[in-house]
Amino acid sequence: MNKQEAIDKLLNGEMKLYQVDREFSPEEATNIRREFLEKKYSIDLVNISNYTLDMEKASKRNIENSIGVLQLPMGIAGPLKINGQYCKREVFVPLATSEGALVASINRGASTITASGGVNTIVTSDFMTRAPVIKTNSASDALLIKQWFVDNFTDLKELAESTTSHGKLLKIDPILIVGSYVYPRFVYSTGDSMGMNMVTIATEKILDKLAQESDAKHIALSGNVCVDKKPAAINVVEGRGKSVVADILIPKEIVNKKLKTTAEAIVEVNITKNLIGSAAAGSMAFNAHYANMVAAIFLATGQDAAHVVEGSLGITTAENRDGDLYFSVNLPDLPIATVGGGTSLEVANEGLNILGVAGSGKAREFAEIVAGTVLAGELSLIGALAAGHLARAHQELGRG
């Protein structure tokens, strides 16, 4: 079969999109599917076709039915000085976004941070979760299954860890019972990978053993108590991925010079907007815009973009300390990686290299950089609101 024959078969409905890969190389299959769309809808996809990514490599682990590559503008903010447990240096942060003024705002925050001596960052916890749902015949039986997990933890830990060279089962907690259903939350350390595939495979091994030793029925490998890619109070309280805190004390004169406002005004905006306003709305996120910074750095470094919903959770605090500004951000749920998944894509790997965190042994350092970047953007926006500069900044940068 030649290229034109394949396109004709797609147009006639005689071939499915995924079947093209059986006849052609990944790059050829990509071109065929794209040209099929161009002919079907009489459109030109020249920009989607313009890329340097290795499609053969990407097709093995990152994409199905490929047609090309998405391009987003990428900017840089910095230098951002970080005084962390794992990151103790200045960094320039790559940010991929189509929102005008965002990079400029983060850059202003980074300038304020660096002039103040740097942002302090700490990783408070580091684990990934998977929580299946298991059906029993009654609440009494559910309690027996809960106890089975407790009594056999040592054996289950050994079994789970036999599936991976990096993952460690830390605990099974909580083990929720809802009627006849059991929701055990398996908590693993996963090293420098984000770890969802790792913990899924390990948990499935445990469920196989449960099936051999009981009448309980495994309904779904994810029962949503994990909680993956959704906002959830359990992740705010217990944490998931990397949990990170960043804080800084900014001298009064720098607040005035860099942010054009006062500590008192920033504290008032934070209380009325981030705390009271969020509470009034029933929000789980008590911050101004963590998602902006998390999304931009995730896209620039090959993270799973759907985890932005988790990374957007957290609380911003601000205090007036005799005119100086104490400012902090708390990110309890930051699933990130420096190896595996999208981090192996060429552009993403270059983004991680800009930060100096590509490869093994770098995930916690990367988490501190993300937290520092979030603080920079959060500080800048709240400062702009306190000074009344937000609309003007967008207008001056020509953003409609």
Side-chain angles (χ1 to χ4, degrees):
M1 184 187 307
N2 61 37
K3 175 180 174 181
Q4 188 57 52
E5 289 173 335
I7 293 172
D8 290 341
K9 284 181 178 292
L10 287 171
L11 289 168
N12 296 331
E14 299 173 17
M15 176 180 277
K16 297 185 182 297
L17 294 171
Y18 68 87
Q19 292 175 328
V20 181
D21 293 298
R22 298 174 182 174
E23 305 290 335
F24 299 91
S25 70
E27 186 170 352
E28 290 172 322
T30 298
N31 294 337
I32 288 169
R33 279 186 290 262
R34 187 177 60 253
E35 291 181 34
F36 150 70
L37 290 173
E38 290 179 325
K39 291 192 175 182
K40 183 174 178 63
Y41 297 113
S42 299
I43 55 178
D44 187 358
L45 303 178
V46 63
N47 290 298
I48 292 175
S49 70
N50 185 17
Y51 59 87
T52 59
L53 183 145
D54 184 341
M55 193 57 70
E56 181 172 359
K57 182 180 175 183
S59 294
K60 290 179 180 178
R61 61 174 66 182
N62 300 110
I63 192 69
E64 300 80 38
N65 294 342
S66 57
I67 62 169
V69 170
L70 166 71
Q71 298 180 81
L72 277 174
M74 187 182 294
I76 200 82
L80 170 64
K81 186 175 182 182
I82 299 177
N83 309 317
Q85 294 172 297
Y86 302 94
C87 184
K88 303 176 186 293
R89 54 193 173 88
E90 290 188 354
V91 298
F92 285 90
V93 184
L95 302 156
T97 182
S98 58
E99 181 181 347
L102 178 61
V103 175
S105 178
I106 297 170
N107 197 63
R108 183 174 81 133
S111 176
T112 304
I113 288 168
T114 302
S116 302
V119 57
N120 307 305
T121 55
I122 57 171
V123 177
T124 58
S125 66
D126 181 0
F127 57 79
M128 184 47 62
T129 61
R130 177 54 86 203
V133 53
I134 299 160
K135 180 176 175 57
T136 66
N137 293 319
S138 66
S140 297
D141 287 347
L143 184 60
L144 292 175
I145 294 301
K146 176 178 180 178
Q147 193 61 46
W148 181 86
F149 283 115
V150 174
D151 293 342
N152 292 280
F153 176 77
T154 300
D155 291 340
L156 298 180
K157 175 179 172 66
E158 182 178 349
L159 185 63
E161 293 174 6
S162 71
T163 67
T164 171
S165 57
H166 299 289
K168 302 293 181 185
L169 179 60
L170 303 177
K171 62 180 180 175
I172 308 173
D173 182 54
I175 304 174
L176 302 177
I177 293 177
V178 182
S180 62
Y181 297 101
V182 184
Y183 296 82
R185 193 174 193 245
F186 293 84
V187 179
Y188 298 84
S189 66
T190 59
D192 294 292
S193 69
M194 188 269 287
M196 280 310 306
N197 290 337
M198 184 190 302
V199 303
T200 297
I201 293 168
T203 300
E204 187 171 42
K205 193 78 170 178
I206 291 175
L207 295 175
D208 289 342
K209 182 175 179 62
L210 175 66
Q212 295 169 8
E213 299 190 5
S214 76
D215 294 330
K217 183 181 178 183
H218 156 210
I219 299 294
L221 194 52
S222 173
N224 267 13
V225 179
C226 307
V227 176
D228 189 42
K229 299 177 180 176
K230 291 166 282 292
I234 193 171
N235 288 353
V236 175
V237 175
E238 295 285 336
R240 189 168 192 264
K242 275 47 174 190
S243 297
V244 201
V245 177
D247 69 355
I248 189 171
L249 184 64
I250 305 172
K252 176 181 179 179
E253 58 271 19
I254 294 179
V255 175
N256 294 337
K257 179 180 178 181
K258 294 282 189 180
L259 301 176
K260 312 300 182 185
T261 186
T262 64
E264 182 180 13
I266 287 176
V267 169
E268 184 175 24
V269 170
N270 189 63
I271 291 172
T272 57
K273 171 184 168 62
N274 287 344
L275 305 184
I276 298 175
S278 296
S283 176
M284 287 185 182
F286 290 75
N287 62 72
H289 70 144
Y290 287 15
N292 257 333
M293 286 70 74
V294 172
I297 196 169
F298 271 27
L299 291 171
T301 59
Q303 309 303 306
D304 189 333
H307 280 132
V308 171
V309 71
E310 295 180 55
S312 70
L313 301 174
I315 302 171
T316 297
T317 65
E319 300 174 23
N320 177 6
R321 296 185 177 178
D322 296 325
D324 298 338
L325 173 67
Y326 173 81
F327 197 85
S328 78
V329 297
N330 168 46
L331 289 87
D333 184 1
L334 192 65
I336 58 168
T338 55
V339 297
T343 67
S344 62
L345 296 172
E346 289 86 348
V347 173
N349 192 253
E350 289 178 3
L352 290 169
N353 278 325
I354 292 171
L355 294 172
V357 295
S360 298
K362 301 289 187 178
R364 292 186 178 184
E365 184 176 0
F366 180 38
E368 292 188 339
I369 293 172
V370 175
T373 304
V374 168
L375 190 144
E378 188 81 350
L379 175 66
S380 184
L381 175 56
I382 296 177
L385 289 168
H389 293 167
L390 180 64
R392 189 178 74 191
H394 281 265
Q395 185 177 34
E396 288 177 352
L397 290 170
R399 319 305 193 208

